[in-house]
Amino acid sequence: MAKLTVFFKDRVIHSDQFEKGIVRIGRDETNDIIIDSLAVAPAHAVIVIRDDDHIVKQMNYDFPLMLNGVKIKEAPLKDNDTITLGKHDILFSTEEMGHTPSQMDELDRLPLSLLNQKSDEISLPAANLQILNGENIGKIIAIRKKIMQIGRSGSGIVAITKRKEGYFVSILENIGTITLNDVPINDNSLKLNHNDVLVINNRSLQFFLN
């Protein structure tokens, strides 16, 4: 099974899970994942989900397809790769709920897995998260990717995205207590400022800029 989460800028548009088979992506309503944008072809790409490996293929060469910031025509997919079509990103994940270690689990046993494509093209101050409680209190997690997903399926998951306007946090899975500076995030996309405190299910992290 694979999970595909569609982002537009810092906002989550929708998320779907798919069993083995072909997932069609494009602007046309016949696709499995529909992206309503003129920058996306009517039939833009397909993802082939198999037991042991997965691939993504470009279907219209007039519309670029990117994987982790690199233009491709066809490429294998790994867990937490980012596919880009026009101004939309799709986060590819093969983690199944309750079966694989998550980013929140790994807060208790660093190093933490950081996800997705590099964002060197965006000029912003370097940013980090510092763990404020638990076994690894004081540990620093550098934010080097365009999208970083953190949390645990069944207990709340957030995405931290890097845009030209700054760093933003939004909820992927709203379970448990998820707050920024003691204010619930809910369906909002909030800009992160220096020394903000993010709490995900009683785990506290402080955001700070270098």
Side-chain angles (χ1 to χ4, degrees):
M1 179 179 290
K3 182 178 181 180
L4 299 174
T5 303
V6 182
F7 290 81
F8 179 71
K9 296 184 178 179
D10 60 307
R11 291 185 177 275
V12 177
I13 305 302
H14 62 265
S15 182
D16 294 292
Q17 290 186 333
F18 297 91
E19 301 287 349
K20 289 186 296 183
I22 297 175
V23 179
R24 296 169 177 83
I25 305 168
R27 190 171 71 242
D28 192 87
E29 293 183 358
T30 60
N31 290 285
D32 301 292
I33 294 179
I34 302 167
I35 300 178
D36 186 12
S37 170
L38 293 177
V40 175
H44 199 123
V46 296
I47 294 174
V48 182
I49 301 170
R50 298 185 284 227
D51 285 329
D52 299 324
D53 64 334
H54 321 284
I55 60 172
V56 59
K57 296 181 179 181
Q58 183 181 17
M59 298 301 292
N60 189 324
Y61 292 153
D62 293 329
F63 289 78
L65 180 68
M66 302 181 73
L67 180 64
N68 300 326
V70 178
K71 287 185 178 181
I72 62 157
K73 293 183 179 179
E74 179 176 335
L77 282 171
K78 303 185 297 298
D79 194 33
N80 297 319
D81 276 347
T82 296
I83 303 161
T84 301
L85 306 82
K87 295 182 179 180
H88 288 73
D89 293 313
I90 300 176
L91 175 63
F92 176 84
S93 174
T94 58
E95 290 190 350
E96 295 186 24
M97 294 172 62
H99 292 284
T100 56
S102 71
Q103 282 69 34
M104 188 60 76
D105 293 325
E106 292 172 355
L107 286 175
D108 290 324
R109 56 179 191 282
L110 293 190
L112 184 76
S113 291
L114 302 181
L115 310 182
N116 298 314
Q117 70 189 65
K118 296 180 181 179
S119 51
D120 296 337
E121 70 281 4
I122 301 175
S123 179
L124 286 175
N128 306 274
L129 294 170
Q130 184 171 27
I131 301 171
L132 299 181
N133 60 358
E135 180 181 346
N136 284 291
I137 185 171
K139 294 287 187 179
I140 304 295
I141 305 163
I143 302 174
R144 298 192 180 96
K145 307 289 183 176
K146 182 177 180 181
I147 304 171
M148 185 177 79
Q149 177 180 310
I150 188 167
R152 176 188 298 150
S153 293
S155 298
I157 302 173
V158 303
I160 296 176
T161 58
K162 185 177 181 181
R163 296 175 53 191
K164 62 181 181 181
E165 298 89 353
Y167 297 86
F168 290 79
V169 61
S170 56
I171 291 179
L172 292 179
E173 182 183 81
N174 195 0
I175 296 176
T177 302
I178 304 178
T179 63
L180 183 65
N181 300 325
D182 296 323
V183 177
I185 297 175
N186 297 323
D187 295 328
N188 299 314
S189 177
L190 302 179
K191 186 175 181 179
L192 291 165
N193 296 303
H194 187 63
N195 289 332
D196 279 353
V197 175
L198 175 66
V199 177
I200 308 171
N201 198 30
N202 298 318
R203 192 57 54 88
S204 298
L205 303 103
Q206 186 172 43
F207 175 85
F208 66 95
L209 299 169
N210 287 353

